[in-house]
Amino acid sequence: MLKSKTFLKKTRAGGVMKIVREHYLRDDIGCGASGCAACGGAHEGPVLELQPLDRASSLCPEPHYLLPDTNVLLHQIDVLEDPAIRNVIVLQTVLQEVRNRSAPVYKRIRDMTNNQEKHFYTFTNEHHRETYVEQVQGENSNDRNDRAIRVAAKWYNEHLKKMPAESQLRVIFITNDRKNKEKAVEEGIPAFTCEEYIKSLTANPELIDRLACLSEEGNEIESGKTIFSEHLPLSKLQQGIKSGTYLQGTFRASRENYLEATVWVHGDDEDNKEIILQGLKNLNRAIHEDIVAVELLPRHQWVAPSSVVLQDEGQNEDDIEKEEERERILKTAVNEKMLKPTGRVVGIIKRNWRPYCGMLSKSDIKESRRHLFTPADKRIPRIRIETRQASTLEGRRIIVAVDGWPRNSRYPNGHFVKNLGEVGDKETETEVLLLEHDVPHQAFSQAVLSFLPKMPWSITEKDMKNREDLRHLCVCSVDPPGCTDIDDALHCRELENGNLEVGVHIADVSHFIRPGNALDQESARRGTTVYLCEKRIDMVPELLSSNLCSLRSNVDRLAFSCIWEMNHNAEILKTRFTKSVINSKASLTYAEAQMRIDSAAMNDNITTSLRGLNKLAKILKKRRIEKGALTLSSPEVRFHMDSETHDPIDLQTKELRETNSMVEEFMLLANISVAKKIHEEFSEHALLRKHPAPPPSNYEILVKAAKSKNLEIKTDTAKALADSLDRADSPIFPYLNTLLRILATRCMMQAVYFCSGMDNDFHHYGLASPIYTHFTSPIRRYADIIVHRLLAVAIGADCTYPELTDKHKLADLCKNLNFRHKMAQYAQRASVAFHTQLFFKSKGIVSEEAYILFVRKNAIVVLIPKYGLEGTVFFEEKDKPKPRLIYDDEIPSLKIEDTVFHVFDKVKVKIMLDSSNLQHQKIRMSLVEPQIPGISVSADASNVDINEPERKKKKLQK
């Protein structure tokens, strides 16, 4: 049956165009119930069970299916995902509405409909002849959709009566819309609110905790006192932004001070790029990363960023007087120059809430169901939840979702989602850091895995098309120990004309991951492989990362090769790119490669190739540094794990060899060569990588620190900086140069991916290169896959596709890749921090030499070279007399009593694990030397009971 709609549309040219939209209705769409004779019993994919397990509902004791409306799916998705909820009918009308309103919820619903154990069935009611409804005159689209849902629910109940008496089933309509529920009941459809139905499931009381708290009535604080001003409606906000009354920006909460935040304004207004907000009422219920509208306060109300550290430790939700007292502490007398544009939040344009990990702060009131949840991220406010499991959840890491924030509540309302496990447990803490840094880490779905090659796999004639056979070359790989995802391999040989041929061979991942399929989409979403201390979160499935794409020795592998002809002075004479087949002759570690180069007894082909590469790499590096490339430093650590417990038993800084530098030089050269080639071919849509030059203000701390040691650091250009760092040596203090390079690293900007057609500045500051990209690690970086595709099209080895030459889509992709890379770095640092805590937990208290990196008003930040560990030594502690502190920002220096500390001074510190706060365990450092009465501690461990926090934890669990 065919229905058609006709409507008129005005064209840009001013004409009128008649549009006819056809809508087909069918009789052969099944209801989804197994064994339904009326539908012929034939249903594809997961279907509704013939006899659904009794959910023990006191409202509907007989077997039944659920049919939720759009708002239930949108707001109660956490409940629907619970294993107890099965046999749910998802209408096409509802699914379309969800898709338009929330992409993340839509994806979660699709995942459930694909999960056969959930028995979620999508019924295409909009194309079923008996359930399709047309919009009538005077009816808005929302009312029409509500009516369509009720028609489908009624049809289901009538249709299922045709089943045998022993299999009689009902369909229950779940809606939180009061009017819609009333109409459904009038029409004879069994209907309940989500809360009514979930509370009727007597066998699953834990589901009540997962209900989203949508009604603000009844969840307000008892006093009913209005704390916050009303948020303006979106229409008024948009008018205000257009007229310039309000500014739109991203709300960034402070980690150190819960009463302060900044808003990064979107647009080109350089004068008001960053606006400060201070005080609860001015923050006005905005949460970190929300898009907000702010109103600038008059200039006489402007404030300076606070140097006070304030943590929200209150348990009493409506003790606002105490908050006002704390806000007064922020407003200290400051220099006029320090004042910054200050504002207040007048409305929320877009909420960017996510599920938050943290711990329950159990209420002091016995038998109370209302408790506060403290997120692990200090930028997120505490969240009020109701739970009957408080005793069980205490001392556990849990996930909570925010539901809303009423005007008269000190904290937002939320609901419990999931219990992750015990605090301090390795698996639990790893899960927390992955969730908190938004690292996609779920197992690859069947849809993704279905695009992997079938095993056993071998190279076919088709694979050899547009590909050179380079299996005869003496290729080898050099990687860290234990590396299984080998991206790159190298070769070097002398040509008949006396020149050298050098090849960089990179895994041909783009051969296996084709544009637009589920495997490609998932790789693009993940963006990068994330390396934690004991775990690797792959960007691509293991079959590719550790097998078919990994350039392991003595197996044939597909590669993308960059081959140069060079003279012995490492000058490039010719460059060519080709898809290839290689057979690596050896998979070496850096140490093994170094041993071959250094050993006079070894002269085989692999060793000769390595020596040639190493000699050229030294020339390339020298030339690069002469051009102004920076050699910076950062303390990287390596853990040695216990083979049984997998706990860290030793912690050392990573040793770098000549071979590390050798591999790096050729990877840089390949990346630059490829960048030039793809930009020549695709000037508007090459994916490149740039490193912006830091603003001069970034270098202030480095220049001042060097000056305090009578050294001059010039920062006019990268070359000037590199040269002055090379000259900054002290014969009596050999570690000084390393410290300066570590500090210089902190001054740098973040390198980012960008689309060449959307930017004019291509320069890579750190490498002193006019153009750069990433080509050499496609197993672990999605950017490299795109670069491989561009290069393949450029040399005629593969065909293009629309998204590859769409600069706007490429710019969006770069935005996601930059975010994923930043989050991966933060997750890796968090993993190192957690394993460092485990190491010192087992090691106990140690005293070590350290160097001062920064001086603060009441603390020094030190680096311990032995462990590559950084930490803060505080000089003001609660319940202890305050010492006399004089801070000089110009030198910079900190005088404590009669002792003065400068940057790079050598000190001795005591290191221990502080477990007094279970949520935020941290490495605590105390000063041992120099000796300052009342400040310094003794080097031995006898005066500290490090087990006290553990005893507290065990007592708390009892």
Side-chain angles (χ1 to χ4, degrees), residues 268-471:
D268 305 320
D269 186 352
E270 288 300 324
D271 295 331
N272 296 318
K273 203 70 185 163
E274 186 184 24
I275 295 170
I276 287 187
L277 313 175
Q278 270 187 8
L280 270 186
K281 291 178 182 177
N282 289 339
L283 301 179
N284 197 7
R285 297 172 287 156
I287 292 178
H288 184 65
E289 292 293 343
D290 282 351
I291 308 297
V292 298
V294 289
E295 179 182 47
L296 270 181
L297 296 175
R299 195 172 275 268
H300 69 272
Q301 291 183 32
W302 285 13
V303 297
S306 170
S307 57
V308 182
V309 175
L310 284 180
Q311 301 295 332
D312 182 8
E313 291 163 356
Q315 180 65 264
N316 189 354
E317 297 174 31
D318 51 353
D319 194 355
I320 301 304
E321 284 74 21
K322 195 171 276 186
E323 304 288 4
E324 288 168 357
E325 189 184 310
R326 287 187 136 195
E327 284 176 26
R328 279 193 288 275
I329 297 170
L330 301 180
K331 293 174 175 57
T332 50
V334 288
N335 187 324
E336 187 76 22
K337 289 178 184 173
M338 294 173 72
L339 297 177
K340 294 276 178 79
T342 308
R344 68 183 187 97
V345 172
V346 292
I348 309 291
I349 292 161
K350 184 174 182 280
R351 287 288 193 191
N352 275 323
W353 296 339
R354 59 177 176 84
Y356 300 107
C357 300
M359 290 180 71
L360 195 72
S361 303
K362 198 177 169 193
S363 171
D364 295 334
I365 303 163
K366 206 178 176 185
E367 303 300 319
S368 174
R369 288 182 180 176
R370 185 178 289 177
H371 308 273
L372 281 176
F373 163 82
T374 306
D377 187 340
K378 290 182 180 178
R379 296 169 300 187
I380 307 300
R382 301 168 105 190
I383 301 163
R384 185 146 46 86
I385 67 167
E386 286 196 24
T387 177
R388 292 148 184 79
Q389 308 173 63
S391 301
T392 312
L393 298 178
E394 206 172 2
R396 315 277 292 177
R397 291 280 193 190
I398 64 172
I399 298 178
V400 161
V402 177
D403 299 323
W405 197 339
R407 285 177 61 197
N408 56 355
S409 172
R410 169 66 185 81
Y411 297 110
N413 293 327
H415 64 273
F416 166 77
V417 175
K418 191 179 180 184
N419 180 350
L420 292 172
E422 191 181 339
V423 171
D425 173 72
K426 221 181 310 182
E427 287 297 314
T428 303
E429 296 300 336
T430 301
E431 178 76 3
V432 167
L433 75 86
L434 290 171
L435 289 167
E436 282 298 291
H437 295 99
D438 197 11
V439 175
H441 60 287
Q442 300 78 12
F444 289 100
S445 69
Q446 281 307 121
V448 169
L449 297 175
S450 68
F451 285 97
L452 292 174
K454 303 290 177 277
M455 296 300 286
W457 174 85
S458 61
I459 296 169
T460 63
E461 252 183 72
K462 189 183 173 187
D463 295 333
M464 290 304 296
K465 194 182 173 191
N466 299 321
R467 199 177 287 276
E468 273 187 55
D469 191 339
L470 302 179
R471 285 176 279 200

Side-chain angles (χ1 to χ4, degrees), residues 498-752:
N499 290 331
L500 297 170
E501 180 187 85
V502 176
V504 165
H505 310 276
I506 305 299
D508 189 5
V509 182
S510 63
H511 173 84
F512 297 97
I513 300 180
R514 303 309 294 164
N517 67 25
L519 176 56
D520 183 45
Q521 288 170 3
E522 182 61 19
S523 305
R525 186 175 79 91
R526 294 185 178 218
T528 180
T529 292
V530 181
Y531 294 90
L532 305 181
C533 291
E534 270 193 283
K535 196 173 186 175
R536 191 179 80 201
I537 313 297
D538 281 328
M539 181 184 82
V540 299
E542 195 178 14
L543 179 65
L544 296 183
S545 65
S546 296
N547 188 349
L548 302 185
C549 291
S550 184
L551 304 181
R552 302 185 302 187
S553 55
N554 303 313
V555 286
D556 293 349
R557 286 291 177 258
L558 302 179
F560 210 146
S561 301
C562 173
I563 300 169
W564 303 279
E565 186 178 329
M566 292 181 176
N567 61 24
H568 287 264
N569 197 29
E571 290 164 335
I572 298 170
L573 306 172
K574 285 180 193 170
T575 306
R576 68 188 185 92
F577 307 98
T578 179
K579 291 231 175 184
S580 60
V581 180
I582 64 164
N583 187 301
S584 172
K585 304 300 180 276
S587 300
L588 306 172
T589 64
Y590 291 116
E592 287 166 349
Q594 192 67 56
M595 188 189 72
R596 279 175 174 265
I597 291 168
D598 297 341
S599 170
M602 298 189 80
N603 289 297
D604 56 280
N605 289 344
I606 294 169
T607 307
T608 306
S609 176
L610 287 169
R611 285 186 188 132
L613 289 165
N614 197 40
K615 186 183 167 192
L616 291 169
K618 286 177 182 176
I619 300 168
L620 288 167
K621 184 172 185 177
K622 184 171 179 285
R623 196 175 294 149
R624 210 164 46 77
I625 288 168
E626 282 168 1
K627 284 182 182 175
L630 298 173
T631 307
L632 299 178
S633 182
S634 61
E636 286 192 70
V637 297
R638 184 175 194 87
F639 292 96
H640 293 274
M641 302 293 184
D642 185 289
S643 57
E644 289 182 16
T645 63
H646 297 285
D647 284 337
I649 50 174
D650 197 8
L651 176 61
Q652 295 173 340
T653 49
K654 286 184 183 175
E655 185 188 346
L656 295 178
R657 296 178 171 84
E658 259 185 17
T659 44
N660 291 73
S661 179
M662 177 190 82
V663 173
E664 184 187 10
E665 285 308 314
F666 286 107
M667 296 306 115
L668 294 175
L669 192 62
N671 287 335
I672 292 167
S673 298
V674 170
K676 288 175 183 172
K677 179 68 177 175
I678 61 171
H679 185 246
E680 276 170 24
E681 294 290 329
F682 307 106
S683 59
E684 285 292 296
H685 41 260
L687 192 154
L688 302 174
R689 187 164 176 82
K690 69 172 180 175
H691 182 214
S697 58
N698 279 29
Y699 287 124
E700 278 179 18
I701 182 72
L702 174 68
V703 173
K704 285 177 182 178
K707 197 176 176 184
S708 72
K709 296 295 176 198
N710 299 315
L711 295 168
E712 187 185 14
I713 297 288
K714 292 188 175 177
T715 61
D716 316 354
T717 62
K719 173 84 174 125
L721 175 62
D723 290 345
S724 50
L725 283 171
D726 287 342
R727 285 194 300 269
D729 258 334
S730 168
I732 55 166
F733 187 1
Y735 197 65
L736 176 64
N737 193 264
T738 304
L739 288 168
L740 281 166
R741 291 181 193 276
I742 288 169
L743 212 52
T745 307
R746 308 293 168 89
C747 302
M748 294 297 136
M749 306 290 282
Q750 186 82 31
V752 290

Side-chain angles (χ1 to χ4, degrees), residues 7 14 17 64 133-134 199 212 218 235 259 275 299 312 358 362 388 446 476 525 530 554 582 601 627 813 905 923:
F7 56 95
M17 185 165 63
H64 55 272
V133 300
E134 287 199 45
K199 285 183 175 177
S235 56
L259 294 174
I275 295 170
R299 195 172 275 268
D312 182 8
K362 198 177 169 193
R388 292 148 184 79
Q446 281 307 121
C476 69
R525 186 175 79 91
V530 181
N554 303 313
I582 64 164
K627 284 182 182 175
L813 176 68
D905 281 359
I923 300 294

Side-chain angles (χ1 to χ4, degrees), residues 203-234:
N204 302 94
E206 74 286 349
L207 280 178
I208 298 169
D209 286 357
R210 299 186 74 172
L211 279 168
C213 170
L214 298 176
S215 159
E216 293 190 356
E217 305 153 26
N219 291 297
E220 298 171 350
I221 54 173
E222 282 70 13
S223 66
K225 180 182 174 184
T226 302
I227 302 168
F228 300 102
S229 57
E230 196 172 351
H231 286 151
L232 297 178
L234 196 56

